[in-house]
Amino acid sequence: MRKSFKLDEIDCANCALKLEDAIRKIDGVDDARVNFMTQKLTLVAADDCFDSVLDDVLALVAKMEPDCEVVR
């Protein structure tokens, strides 16, 4: 499953790159893209575990970028 989410308040392109790299390392993530210019996160994961992977991604974003919010 592929879904896109709006990122609210991502600070810089370097932060977006670091976030993208960290998200890709989460178990269950097939692919992830963080686009600083459009403020979007595109997440690809298996349908059966997408919700749990998304929870892990949300926790990671909150830890790495406390000011950034993922809008569902």
Side-chain angles (χ1 to χ4, degrees):
M1 175 182 299
R2 174 187 305 263
K3 284 191 177 181
S4 293
F5 303 92
K6 180 172 176 21
L7 294 174
D8 194 27
E9 300 291 327
I10 188 124
D11 294 332
C12 65
N14 190 41
C15 298
L17 181 61
K18 287 180 183 179
L19 197 57
E20 180 179 295
D21 288 341
I23 291 171
R24 285 184 176 170
K25 293 177 183 172
I26 294 174
D27 286 338
V29 172
D30 294 331
D31 193 23
R33 301 278 180 207
V34 177
N35 188 317
F36 173 70
M37 295 302 290
T38 61
Q39 302 279 301
K40 273 189 175 178
L41 162 66
T42 302
L43 180 64
V44 181
D47 291 352
D48 59 336
C49 65
F50 191 86
D51 290 334
S52 65
V53 170
L54 180 58
D55 290 340
D56 292 344
V57 169
L58 295 175
L60 178 76
V61 171
K63 181 180 176 186
M64 289 183 69
E65 292 293 324
D67 295 335
C68 181
E69 179 184 351
V70 179
V71 181
R72 290 186 180 201

